Amino acid sequence: MSRRRHSDDSDVGQPHKRRRTSEPSEIEERLESLICRVGEKSNSSLESNLEGLAGVLEADLPNYKSKILRILCTVARLLPEKLTVYTTLVGLLNARNYNFGGEFVEAMIRQLKECLKVNMCNEAVHLVRFLSDLVNCHVIAAPSMVAMFENFVSVTQEEDVPQVRCDWYMFAFLSSLPWVGKELYEKKDAEMDRLLSQTESYLKRRQKIHVPMLQVWTADKPHPQEEVIGLYYLDCLWSQIQKLKKDRWQERHILRPYLAFDSVLCEALQHNLPPFTPPPHTEDSVYPMPRVIFRMFDYTDDPEGPVMPGSHSVERFVIEENLHCIIKSHWKERKTCAAQLLSYPGNNKIPLNYHIVEVIFAELFQLPSPPHIEVMYTTLLIELCKLQPGSLPQVLAQATEMLYMRLDTMNTTCVDRFINWFSHHLSNFQFRWSWEDWSDCLTQDLEKPKPKFVREVLEKCMRLSYHQRIIDIVPASFSVLSPANPVCIYKYGDESNRSLPGYTVALCLTIAIKNKASNDEIFSILKDVPNPNQDDDDGEGFTFNPLKIEVFVQTLLHLAAKSFSHSFSALAKFHEVFKTLAESDEGKLHVLRVVYEVWKNHPQMIAVLVDKMIRTQIVDCAAVANWIFSSELAHDFTRFYIWEILHSTIRKMNKHVLKIHKELEETKARLARQHKRRDSDDDDDDDDRSTDREDGPLEEQIERLQEKVESAQSEQKNLFLVIFQRFIMLLTEHLVRCETGGIDVFTPWYKSCIERLQQIFLQHHQIIQQYMVTLENLLFTAELDHHILAVFQQFCALQA
């Protein structure tokens, strides 16, 4: 304390250097805090806060102009939910300092170009919208904004560019109109009419083959009052803009703080936007994936509260956009995110809880993948329930009931996510649910969506709890859907099975493993196991012997059944035995069959063991794929855990390829750095010989890594070929069987299978696109049944 006082005294006469250098950074931090926090809850009005902040920033412009510019450009890009607050602030600064306004507009255009260059399309949309709202604040002249939009719409006339590029520029234009449409129409009505006419023409001619692949529900109208469910997002936005135009561009929801400063802003000089030409399409250009509109609620679902805006009203779009933006800005901090959602401006004019729940499920069910990790949505909904215990849980229960009622037409991938979310949510609320309300599923075929959903939810709940707890929480009538007791099935453990081949050897193995036998001792015991494929056995007795594998794997897994850790230790200790027994492809497949036989009542154990066996290279990815499509697993083919295993297997393969590719690129970069270093040092006489010595090891390493990359990519391609080939075989058999028997093709099994095929394409679309030509030439040929071929065509259209 005294030290600080002494220091302060000395600052009066002779300020320390340290004090002088730290002061600017403190001021910069204060400026950043003031700008970022404006618009949040405050005792003062928003207008007075903005006026005060504009005064503070104006005073600091001489010394901190570049910092203020940088902060304002950043919030324009990253805090779009407060767009009109910041445009008003920029408008006030422009009215006070015209040059600063011009510099800000130029900085925004530079940032927009940079975002498009590095494929940050979502941020670019926010910047375009921000620029358009600056027209309302008299910072940007309306004609120059119209000129920019004309350039955007002209992209639709480009040749040999993907449709997703045209879609993005069209969305950037249309999504800005709720903010600036009225102002632009008043100043440039003829030009705006021409732009909207070109927009309509483009939307009519664009292809929509891919839309069914992205829909959450397959039925056209799962909710009678909703005409937009499953509509392509641009088509929905277009209908909202048409209605807005019909209503003379009057919308009632956007917060417009600049209206309070109209007398000040209208006196300000305006800037023309620098010429902006959309950057040309290149091979490296990446655009957002197409998406469809998700709806759950309408005005009839909340008859007591404020009326929910209709699906074709632009207010619905604005509210949803802002809620999506809040989630995007705060998703890493669930408490902040929940609080921000619930304090959404104008929350007393709309049924906010319904909008929030709908937007969260829209993101969770977005195909091909949600914007954020799935568990985030679970934790966010739990946090919202805590903050609004009197109202939000009821809305969430209503939404859950609606989703359950529509399960028959729900996309299988979305059902998976619904299962994951619901089971996780229940685990946070003592698994309480009115299960009796869903007793209708008990009278249905167990393969139908509703009973299958309940079964998978209870299975998932068991993973988050334990078997007896799940049995206790559900009514006795649900026993047919309750998970089996997850115990190990050891066929050599019952004396009544003494006559089984290998029974005696299994007993010997049990004793040996308990006595900590070595691998050699295990091999010695297994030598006595007869081989049903006697002709194929060699002198050593270690080629594919199904009985040998069965005896060893059954016994080992039984002895290690106590926990995951025990099983992992067993795999590690006898890794050499596994590798020898499963040397051939048939051996690998049989190991997986035995794992299933032992643990068929414990799907999680199967998933964990298969994962570990891939990591330790006991089995390979292709073996897992073949096993999943084998007849032995036909009974469980539509079960959730099977697809969990397959997707995990594909991801491992993809990570393996990426890892080796990264090593190769790093080694190449190291060699390039070495060359560059040497080029800058020309004084060494022995350069040639030292060059060979230095480059040799790296060049050899690059050669080895290139071979590894090629081998891994070949393995990856083979994995996808195996998966798609097996899908085609299964689906073709089903279609032929139905056609010859005069049976309806569209069974629950068929829906599940065809949607799992779609799921593979969607979840791994970036990798699969590398092998499109191979797939088209070898598997998805014109002769293939149109039901199966349609899935491939939809996938091709996604980025076409």
Side-chain angles (χ1 to χ4, degrees):
M1 194 83 168
S2 61
R3 266 205 303 264
R4 177 177 284 182
R5 213 177 275 129
H6 174 74
S7 173
D8 288 349
D9 291 342
S10 65
D11 284 347
V12 176
Q14 186 76 36
H16 286 296
K17 256 187 180 178
R18 195 168 164 192
R19 175 75 176 184
R20 281 206 307 272
T21 55
S22 67
E23 201 171 277
S25 67
E26 286 172 12
I27 293 172
E28 287 177 3
E29 283 174 18
R30 183 174 63 86
L31 288 173
E32 189 169 330
S33 174
L34 285 170
I35 293 170
C36 290
R37 289 173 62 185
V38 69
E40 293 179 6
K41 277 191 177 180
S42 165
N43 294 328
S44 310
S45 69
L46 174 60
E47 288 75 16
S48 66
N49 285 341
L50 281 169
E51 198 164 15
L53 179 57
V56 170
L57 295 181
E58 185 193 12
D60 282 327
L61 277 179
N63 298 320
Y64 300 100
K65 183 167 65 179
S66 61
K67 177 70 177 178
I68 291 168
L69 275 172
R70 195 161 63 248
I71 297 169
L72 287 173
C73 285
T74 303
V75 294
R77 181 167 56 86
L78 297 180
L79 295 176
E81 65 272 19
K82 294 203 284 186
L83 180 149
T84 55
V85 173
Y86 291 122
T87 53
T88 306
L89 178 61
V90 172
L92 290 171
L93 286 169
N94 179 63
R96 297 169 185 222
N97 188 323
Y98 176 75
N99 289 336
F100 175 80
E103 287 182 56
F104 176 77
V105 170
E106 286 174 9
M108 285 288 284
I109 291 294
R110 280 197 303 274
Q111 187 176 211
L112 175 60
K113 288 177 179 176
E114 187 58 34
C115 281
L116 291 171
K117 185 180 171 185
V118 295
N119 299 317
M120 292 169 66
C121 292
N122 290 330
E123 284 84 351
V125 166
H126 301 155
L127 294 175
V128 172
R129 211 173 284 168
F130 195 99
L131 288 168
S132 70
D133 199 49
L134 287 177
V135 174
N136 296 320
C137 301
H138 298 270
V139 176
I140 290 174
S144 70
M145 196 71 228
V146 172
M148 178 189 258
F149 285 149
E150 283 173 341
N151 287 341
F152 278 25
V153 175
S154 70
V155 170
T156 62
Q157 306 300 322
E158 292 176 352
E159 293 181 359
D160 299 323
V161 296
Q163 184 172 279
V164 281
R165 170 178 167 84
C166 303
D167 282 358
W168 184 85
Y169 280 98
M170 198 54 77
F171 178 73
F173 163 54
L174 289 177
S175 67
S176 299
L177 294 183
W179 281 264
V180 76
K182 184 180 180 183
E183 190 75 13
L184 295 184
Y185 230 85
E186 284 175 1
K187 302 275 190 347
K188 289 281 181 180
D189 58 337
E191 288 86 345
M192 287 298 293
D193 275 331
R194 189 172 65 250
L195 281 177
L196 292 176
S197 173
Q198 289 171 345
T199 300
E200 186 170 29
S201 171
Y202 168 70
L203 291 175
K204 281 179 179 174
R205 72 174 185 267
R206 60 185 304 286
Q207 60 86 5
K208 301 171 189 174
I209 302 168
H210 56 278
V211 171
M213 197 177 225
L214 301 171
Q215 289 173 330
V216 176
W217 286 295
T218 51
D220 292 333
K221 292 184 184 179
H223 200 259
Q225 295 89 354
E226 293 293 356
E227 296 173 4
V228 297
I229 292 177
L231 253 188
Y232 192 64
Y233 75 107
L234 270 182
D235 295 323
C236 185
L237 178 56
W238 173 240
S239 66
Q240 290 166 329
I241 295 299
Q242 283 181 305
K243 185 175 185 304
L244 180 63
K245 185 189 173 191
K246 190 179 172 185
D247 295 340
R248 298 177 180 275
W249 302 96
Q250 295 294 325
E251 66 75 41
R252 300 170 194 83
H253 198 80
I254 295 174
L255 178 73
R256 298 183 188 268
Y258 38 77
L259 294 176
F261 301 102
D262 192 50
S263 58
V264 176
L265 297 177
C266 69
E267 297 294 323
L269 293 172
Q270 293 174 301
H271 306 268
N272 284 319
L273 282 170
F276 180 84
T277 307
H281 175 70
T282 65
E283 283 186 4
D284 297 325
S285 300
V286 179
Y287 306 98
M289 285 284 278
R291 55 191 169 85
V292 297
I293 293 300
F294 174 87
R295 290 278 188 272
M296 288 179 70
F297 302 120
D298 70 1
Y299 65 93
T300 62
D301 293 311
D302 183 27
E304 295 173 9
V307 176
M308 179 173 264
S311 291
H312 291 295
S313 73
V314 83
E315 284 82 7
R316 189 76 170 253
F317 168 77
V318 170
I319 293 164
E320 288 169 356
E321 274 290 288
N322 285 333
L323 293 177
H324 283 302
C325 288
I326 290 170
I327 293 172
K328 188 173 187 295
S329 298
H330 304 288
W331 70 273
K332 291 180 181 176
E333 294 289 341
R334 68 182 191 283
K335 290 179 184 290
T336 308
C337 190
Q340 290 288 334
L341 287 170
L342 292 171
S343 60
Y344 180 68
N347 52 16
N348 56 336
K349 300 176 191 169
I350 56 171
L352 183 61
N353 287 344
Y354 283 86
H355 282 291
I356 289 172
V357 168
E358 184 173 82
V359 162
I360 289 173
F361 278 123
E363 288 202 7
L364 179 60
F365 295 144
Q366 186 175 311
L367 294 170
S369 56
H372 312 294
I373 56 171
E374 286 180 42
V375 75
M376 187 280 292
Y377 299 103
T378 312
T379 57
L380 179 57
L381 284 168
I382 290 167
E383 202 59 43
L384 288 163
C385 288
K386 287 178 184 174
L387 291 176
Q388 292 273 3
S391 56
L392 206 133
Q394 291 87 322
V395 177
L396 196 52
Q398 189 178 341
T400 306
E401 188 64 34
M402 283 179 166
L403 292 171
Y404 172 78
M405 295 307 292
R406 300 183 203 175
L407 276 170
D408 288 350
T409 57
M410 197 175 193
N411 184 294
T412 301
T413 303
C414 298
V415 175
D416 287 351
R417 295 180 197 167
F418 184 23
I419 290 164
N420 279 333
W421 165 74
F422 188 52
S423 54
H424 190 177
H425 186 81
L426 288 178
S427 72
N428 281 270
F429 295 95
Q430 291 87 48
F431 299 101
R432 288 197 300 266
W433 186 253
S434 49
W435 298 103
E436 290 86 355
D437 293 349
W438 289 355
S439 56
D440 61 319
C441 70
L442 300 174
T443 58
Q444 297 181 12
D445 175 1
L446 295 183
E447 284 301 306
K448 288 278 182 77
K450 286 181 181 176
K452 186 169 274 297
F453 168 77
V454 173
R455 181 185 180 184
E456 295 292 358
V457 164
L458 294 175
E459 178 76 54
K460 211 67 163 133
C461 285
M462 187 177 72
R463 290 193 189 187
L464 300 166
S465 182
Y466 54 94
H467 181 254
Q468 192 54 49
R469 177 81 194 279
I470 304 308
I471 299 301
D472 292 342
I473 62 166
V474 294
S477 56
F478 278 72
S479 60
V480 68
L481 299 176
S482 297
N485 193 11
V487 292
C488 165
I489 301 169
Y490 180 49
K491 69 179 182 180
Y492 299 112
D494 194 337
E495 283 203 18
S496 61
N497 290 336
R498 291 175 73 99
S499 58
L500 280 175
Y503 180 85
T504 313
V505 179
L507 291 180
C508 295
L509 265 182
T510 302
I511 295 164
I513 292 169
K514 283 181 177 178
N515 291 329
K516 298 182 169 48
S518 66
N519 286 334
D520 289 339
E521 288 170 317
I522 299 297
F523 283 133
S524 176
I525 294 168
L526 289 173
K527 261 194 169 183
D528 299 334
V529 178
N531 189 353
N533 307 327
Q534 195 64 48
D535 297 341
D536 302 332
D537 207 358
D538 64 7
E540 292 297 314
F542 289 128
T543 54
F544 175 54
N545 181 336
L547 186 55
K548 197 178 282 187
I549 290 171
E550 208 155 307
V551 171
F552 172 70
V553 177
Q554 279 257 354
T555 305
L556 187 66
L557 292 183
H558 165 65
L559 291 171
K562 192 172 182 181
S563 69
F564 294 136
S565 301
H566 285 77
S567 297
F568 290 169
S569 297
L571 292 183
K573 185 174 181 183
F574 296 104
H575 185 257
E576 187 189 337
V577 181
F578 272 107
K579 288 286 282 181
T580 307
L581 293 177
E583 200 172 353
S584 64
D585 290 343
E586 300 101 315
K588 291 179 177 66
L589 205 52
H590 203 66
V591 166
L592 292 165
R593 287 191 195 111
V594 179
V595 169
Y596 174 71
E597 284 172 17
V598 174
W599 284 117
K600 63 172 69 173
N601 288 335
H602 196 339
Q604 188 182 12
M605 182 63 90
I606 296 174
V608 166
L609 286 175
V610 171
D611 180 273
K612 193 69 174 175
M613 285 179 168
I614 294 171
R615 286 173 189 271
T616 53
Q617 298 179 348
I618 292 170
V619 299
D620 56 35
C621 296
V624 174
N626 278 312
W627 167 66
I628 281 171
F629 288 93
S630 65
S631 56
E632 291 89 352
L633 252 68
H635 181 263
D636 279 6
F637 185 70
T638 57
R639 291 287 304 278
F640 178 93
Y641 82 93
I642 290 292
W643 301 97
E644 198 176 27
I645 292 170
L646 185 59
H647 286 291
S648 171
T649 302
I650 296 171
R651 282 195 298 272
K652 272 186 189 53
M653 183 76 255
N654 297 346
K655 278 181 184 175
H656 173 62
V657 174
L658 280 172
K659 185 185 172 189
I660 301 170
H661 195 269
K662 189 181 174 187
E663 280 178 41
L664 174 62
E665 293 305 313
E666 284 172 354
T667 311
K668 282 181 178 176
R670 213 155 61 236
L671 184 63
R673 281 198 302 272
Q674 202 163 282
H675 283 173
K676 191 177 177 183
R677 232 181 3 253
R678 197 167 47 245
D679 290 344
S680 64
D681 183 15
D682 301 327
D683 303 329
D684 198 345
D685 295 332
D686 300 327
D687 198 49
D688 289 344
R689 271 177 299 180
S690 65
T691 296
D692 294 340
R693 279 201 305 275
E694 287 173 19
D695 289 357
L698 279 178
E699 284 171 349
E700 284 172 21
Q701 193 179 345
I702 287 170
E703 208 171 302
R704 282 198 304 274
L705 283 169
Q706 276 172 334
E707 286 174 11
K708 282 177 80 175
V709 166
E710 285 168 17
S711 170
Q713 284 178 333
S714 173
E715 206 178 325
Q716 185 183 52
K717 187 203 286 189
N718 180 54
L719 175 62
F720 282 115
L721 286 172
V722 167
I723 291 167
F724 289 129
Q725 188 178 38
R726 300 305 292 267
F727 261 119
I728 290 168
M729 286 165 62
L730 277 179
L731 286 164
T732 305
E733 284 169 15
H734 170 80
L735 292 166
V736 169
R737 196 164 52 246
C738 290
E739 196 177 320
T740 53
I743 309 165
D744 183 18
V745 167
F746 300 98
T747 62
W749 181 92
Y750 172 78
K751 179 182 180 295
S752 175
C753 191
I754 203 84
E755 287 178 359
R756 290 297 181 190
L757 174 59
Q758 289 179 343
Q759 186 183 43
I760 298 289
F761 274 118
L762 281 175
Q763 287 203 8
H764 311 284
H765 62 95
Q766 289 167 318
I767 307 296
I768 294 171
Q769 273 165 354
Q770 300 170 27
Y771 307 120
M772 292 285 280
V773 176
T774 308
L775 291 172
E776 192 169 6
N777 292 337
L778 293 182
L779 297 177
F780 294 95
T781 57
E783 297 79 41
L784 197 59
D785 186 282
H786 70 94
H787 292 90
I788 309 169
L789 192 57
V791 176
F792 183 68
Q793 289 167 341
Q794 287 166 11
F795 174 70
C796 293
L798 273 179
Q799 295 280 3

